Amino acid sequence: MEEAILQAKNVSYAYEEGEGLAISDINLSFRRGEMTAILGHNGSGKSTLAKLLNGLYIPTAGTVTVCGMDTALDDNTWEIRKKAGMVFQNPDNQLVASIVRDDVAFGLENIGVPTEEMPARIEAALRAVGMLDFIDRAPHMLSGGQKQRIAIAGILAMQPQALILDEATAMLDPKGREEVFSIVEKLNREQGITVVWITHFMEEAARCGRVVVMDGGHIVMDGEPQEVFTRAEDMRRMRLDVPPMVALGDLLRSRGMKISRDAMDIDSMAREVLKWL
Ligand code: ADP
Ligand code: MG
């Protein structure tokens, strides 16, 4: 078994004492290099889980560890902040400085990186998200997708093990969405960064190696996208769609065409269908 980078053991969370649980008895671990999508209807507990996984919230019951460090112990706070970074939905709420360079530097200052180490780290992080040319620009002039990439660079500069993105593409146009998703995909593939990708876009989930589905504060499905999306009935019951190409595949199979279940995006579906022409 590969090392768990993020782990939740019997984790529950209540926002207020005596109130209902937003998250109930969750057991989940994310291994080094995994890229996992988390799906679930509004209120199913995705954001609560995300904030537990990087130590922003401390479990009401159970234990969360980041690279083996218990998030409930104050001594671990700074080390955890370096290891697991989080990107939120609204690109405008995440940038703090008036120049891109300073924005990426902000997190480094917080964790006490020596000044002379900063330029190299900032440049490497901006290069990794394809934004090095924008280093002297003003963040508020950038597109939503570019802002999210700067937010990601700010985390990368801290050399994290894990990235947790909570609907990071929800406010972007299709181009910005693809920009941000493909950068994160590349960081996962090339640098082995563990990614937790919370989304309501099924096409994005289909591109992750693993899909976890939440409902009412519980984990209700956990598997490869092919397995999870095969359960179209269960998905509908949880008020979730399956990716369009998966639905098309189901339809074509029901009409007797042999279409691979791995064809979950337009390109691979086109290849499958062309075999029949
Ligand atoms: P999701 O991200 O899947 O939409 P959330 O984690 O935001 O779900 O919410 C899970 C549950 O916790 C919901 O019932 C929601 O109403 C509740 N909740 C979320 N944030 C708060 C908060 N700040 N205070 C009280 N309850 C909250
Ligand atoms: Mg949410």
Side-chain angles (χ1 to χ4, degrees):
M1 186 70 176
E2 280 243 20
E3 179 189 359
I5 298 295
L6 305 170
Q7 186 157 46
K9 278 193 188 155
N10 307 113
V11 169
S12 298
Y13 186 79
Y15 279 89
E16 313 254 1
E17 214 177 318
E19 293 286 305
L21 295 173
I23 291 269
S24 312
D25 198 26
I26 283 194
N27 286 289
L28 203 53
S29 84
F30 300 96
R31 292 188 309 274
R32 181 182 301 285
E34 261 189 317
M35 179 152 176
T36 307
I38 301 196
L39 299 174
H41 200 261
N42 282 341
S44 60
K46 305 180 298 297
S47 295
T48 307
L49 176 64
K51 288 171 186 153
L52 285 159
L53 286 176
N54 81 335
L56 276 177
Y57 293 167
I58 305 303
T60 307
T63 315
V64 172
T65 55
V66 174
C67 300
M69 296 175 287
D70 188 338
T71 60
L73 303 178
D74 284 343
D75 286 351
N76 292 335
T77 305
W78 289 105
E79 210 46 46
I80 285 171
R81 204 136 296 170
K82 287 187 225 172
K83 298 281 186 212
M86 185 139 162
V87 179
F88 298 89
Q89 188 177 99
N90 190 337
D92 292 316
N93 292 348
Q94 296 180 75
L95 306 179
V96 291
S98 54
I99 297 195
V100 166
R101 180 199 306 277
D102 297 346
D103 210 285
V104 180
F106 182 76
L108 296 181
E109 285 162 13
N110 273 339
I111 61 168
V113 171
T115 316
E116 61 274 17
E117 263 185 47
M118 285 193 191
R121 285 223 205 177
I122 293 169
E123 284 168 29
L126 284 170
R127 190 175 298 117
V129 299
M131 290 296 289
L132 186 55
D133 289 347
F134 293 78
I135 190 163
D136 293 314
R137 304 280 273 278
H140 71 266
M141 301 296 285
L142 305 177
S143 71
Q146 290 173 326
K147 285 179 190 166
Q148 289 297 57
R149 285 151 67 190
I150 301 296
I152 293 168
I155 295 166
L156 280 184
M158 296 196 254
Q159 302 173 342
Q161 297 285 329
L163 266 177
I164 301 159
L165 303 102
D166 190 358
E167 305 209 30
T169 57
M171 297 178 70
L172 307 181
D173 61 19
K175 179 168 170 288
R177 229 150 63 205
E178 177 55 31
E179 233 169 77
V180 171
F181 187 86
S182 57
I183 286 290
V184 171
E185 206 173 34
K186 182 162 159 270
L187 293 171
N188 168 257
R189 201 174 50 233
E190 293 177 3
Q191 300 190 24
I193 294 180
T194 301
V195 174
V196 178
W197 181 270
I198 297 173
T199 187
H200 61 263
F201 295 110
M202 299 298 151
E203 302 91 319
E204 293 174 354
R207 288 165 66 180
C208 295
R210 176 182 174 195
V211 176
V212 167
V213 181
M214 295 187 71
D215 191 43
H218 299 274
I219 305 293
V220 290
M221 291 193 237
D222 182 352
E224 291 181 2
Q226 292 88 331
E227 299 169 44
V228 168
F229 292 132
T230 301
R231 296 167 59 181
E233 267 313 308
D234 292 331
M235 293 293 280
R236 266 193 288 279
R237 197 153 32 76
M238 275 159 303
R239 292 174 289 168
L240 294 170
D241 290 326
V242 299
M245 291 306 124
V246 172
L248 178 58
D250 285 343
L251 178 73
L252 296 176
R253 277 186 293 274
S254 77
R255 304 284 168 89
M257 280 168 82
K258 278 208 185 68
I259 301 282
S260 166
R261 289 195 181 276
D262 292 331
M264 294 187 292
D265 61 27
I266 290 179
D267 287 345
S268 44
M269 178 56 79
R271 277 194 297 276
E272 287 293 303
V273 171
L274 285 170
K275 291 180 192 163
W276 288 79
L277 298 182

